[in-house]
Amino acid sequence: KLSAQYITMLCVLQLGSDILPQYKQEAPKTPPHIILHYCAFKTTWDWVILILTFYTAIMVPYNVSFKTKQNNIAWLVLDSVVDVIFLVDIVLNFHTTFVGPGGEVISDPKLIRMNYLKTWFVIDLLSCLPYDIINGISSLFSSLKVVRLLRLGRVARKLDHYLEYGAAVLVLLVCVFGLVAHWLACIWYSIGDYEVIDEVTNTIKTDSWLYQLALSIGTPYRYNTTGSGQWEGGPSKDSLYISSLYFTMTSLTTIGFGNIAPTTDGEKIFSVAMMMVGSLLYATIFGNVTTIFQQMYANTNRYHEMLNNVRDFLKLYQVPKGLSERVMDYIPGKIVHNYLCLLDVLSLG
């Protein structure tokens, strides 16, 4: 007798997509000034916001650490445009539907405003304040630019729907690892830039990693006695960032190679903290990567096991060779077809 497994498999292969329910859910009716959260415009807008959020997460720490915006109008204009786009996004969020607790689409303007005010409004507003203008009034507020990193909450909202896909999780983990390394590189440079010159005695610390790097690449610091009376020279900002990122990457993935090493007390304290964070991050990310690959191989193994079962079935009942080859050619395509039909049903639900 045929086992239940083979009977079920044959039934699935026999049934076509015509047994699937054919229906289309109608879009809910909304007031004229309310936007559906899954419409084409809102989806495109969300991806634009997502890209600008990654831009903010990368450029804000870099600009704060390397002071690239000083006397640079282009950076100020670009960030101002990004701030305006985020302000427009706040306005759109006050007119965008959301899914209620029972799975229903809420389009009542009053409920939409109350929901947004109670959830993400404060974070979105803090991330859009004009900190560049505040910094122009007083340099004490320059560190407030880091508050813009609160925009990363938008990434969590957008990517939450894709965490069930192994490939998406893999890409997300790699991006998180690179982003953390970038942030740590900016902090590492800031510590070196703060400690390389003693403001009290106006002397340079020869044990700082910045001073050692400047000597190794042939761009040493020099004291301008005839002009500004300050220390000048040193590596370029591009070289400093690449060296900082190289140090943080080697420290996060290994124990470092020693060609760039902490020497001052502040650098050593930061290195210890980075190693502790890096060990947890490394274990978390690559542990998840291992799980993802195991799941991928498990699905492949199940697929090949099913094909082997069909081959055994054909041999057991001595199916002619020509018919056997046609069955083996037919089965993979039919499996994919039924799988896509099942995804369509689930998406409609």
Side-chain angles (χ1 to χ4, degrees):
K1 293 182 179 180
L2 295 177
S3 65
Q5 178 182 3
Y6 292 123
I7 295 176
T8 304
M9 180 185 67
L10 293 175
C11 290
V12 171
L13 295 176
Q14 181 66 29
L15 294 176
S17 60
D18 52 339
I19 67 169
L20 299 177
Q22 301 290 333
Y23 66 91
K24 181 178 179 181
Q25 183 178 5
E26 295 184 359
K29 296 181 180 180
T30 60
H33 59 283
I34 298 299
I35 304 172
L36 283 173
H37 63 279
Y38 56 83
C39 68
F41 166 75
K42 191 61 172 63
T43 301
T44 305
W45 178 264
D46 286 343
W47 279 107
V48 171
I49 294 297
L50 185 64
I51 295 172
L52 294 180
T53 301
F54 277 111
Y55 163 81
T56 301
I58 294 172
M59 295 308 300
V60 166
Y62 180 81
N63 291 331
V64 172
S65 300
F66 290 85
K67 303 177 177 64
T68 56
K69 285 190 177 181
Q70 293 181 352
N71 302 323
N72 193 328
I73 303 299
W75 284 116
L76 293 174
V77 172
L78 182 59
D79 267 11
S80 298
V81 171
V82 173
D83 290 340
V84 170
I85 293 176
F86 277 101
L87 287 173
V88 173
D89 182 63
I90 292 178
V91 176
L92 291 179
N93 286 332
F94 277 113
H95 299 81
T96 303
T97 61
F98 69 97
V99 179
E104 71 282 8
V105 176
I106 305 298
S107 59
D108 185 9
K110 183 178 179 180
L111 295 178
I112 292 174
R113 289 193 295 268
M114 293 300 298
N115 177 74
Y116 186 50
L117 288 173
K118 291 188 296 184
T119 54
W120 293 97
F121 172 72
V122 175
I123 294 177
D124 291 347
L125 181 63
L126 288 176
S127 65
C128 295
L129 294 179
Y131 295 106
D132 292 317
I133 299 177
I134 299 176
N135 184 39
I137 299 173
S138 173
S139 60
L140 296 176
F141 293 94
S142 60
S143 60
L144 289 178
K145 298 177 186 177
V146 183
V147 179
R148 287 176 176 170
L149 295 181
L150 292 172
R151 293 174 183 172
L152 287 175
R154 301 169 183 267
V155 179
R157 279 178 280 177
K158 183 65 180 177
L159 297 181
D160 181 63
H161 303 289
Y162 300 93
L163 294 181
E164 58 183 296
Y165 304 105
V169 174
L170 184 61
V171 173
L172 180 61
L173 291 175
V174 173
C175 292
V176 169
F177 189 81
L179 192 60
V180 172
H182 168 74
W183 290 347
L184 294 175
C186 294
I187 299 175
W188 171 250
Y189 166 75
S190 299
I191 294 174
D193 184 58
Y194 176 77
E195 294 188 343
V196 68
I197 298 175
D198 191 339
E199 300 290 344
V200 178
T201 61
N202 199 24
T203 58
I204 196 165
K205 295 182 178 180
T206 57
D207 59 343
S208 173
W209 78 270
L210 286 180
Y211 181 81
Q212 298 296 329
L213 176 66
L215 290 180
S216 63
I217 64 177
T219 56
Y221 290 92
R222 60 183 182 275
Y223 185 73
N224 191 340
T225 58
T226 59
S228 60
Q230 297 179 351
W231 287 94
E232 298 177 349
S236 64
K237 291 187 182 297
D238 293 338
S239 179
L240 289 172
Y241 173 74
I242 293 173
S243 300
S244 300
L245 186 61
Y246 163 77
F247 171 75
T248 56
M249 278 291 189
T250 55
S251 298
L252 289 175
T253 56
T254 61
I255 58 175
F257 298 106
N259 48 359
I260 297 178
T263 52
T264 65
D265 292 340
E267 293 169 359
K268 292 178 181 178
I269 292 174
F270 173 75
S271 297
V272 170
M274 182 173 60
M275 291 175 188
M276 296 176 63
V277 173
S279 61
L280 296 175
L281 185 67
Y282 187 86
T284 301
I285 289 179
F286 289 96
N288 281 278
V289 169
T290 303
T291 303
I292 291 172
F293 278 107
Q294 287 178 346
Q295 292 175 351
M296 293 172 60
Y297 288 131
N299 295 331
T300 303
N301 292 335
R302 284 196 297 268
Y303 171 75
H304 288 290
E305 181 182 358
M306 185 178 63
L307 291 181
N308 291 332
N309 291 336
V310 175
R311 291 191 184 96
D312 294 339
F313 173 82
L314 296 175
K315 290 180 181 179
L316 177 63
Y317 290 92
Q318 299 179 355
V319 179
K321 182 178 179 181
L323 180 59
S324 299
E325 291 178 353
R326 282 158 44 196
V327 169
M328 295 306 300
D329 292 337
Y330 171 80
I331 287 177
K334 193 64 177 179
I335 292 173
V336 173
H337 172 75
N338 290 333
Y339 178 70
L340 293 176
C341 293
L342 178 61
L343 290 181
D344 291 338
V345 173
L346 294 177
S347 63
L348 289 174

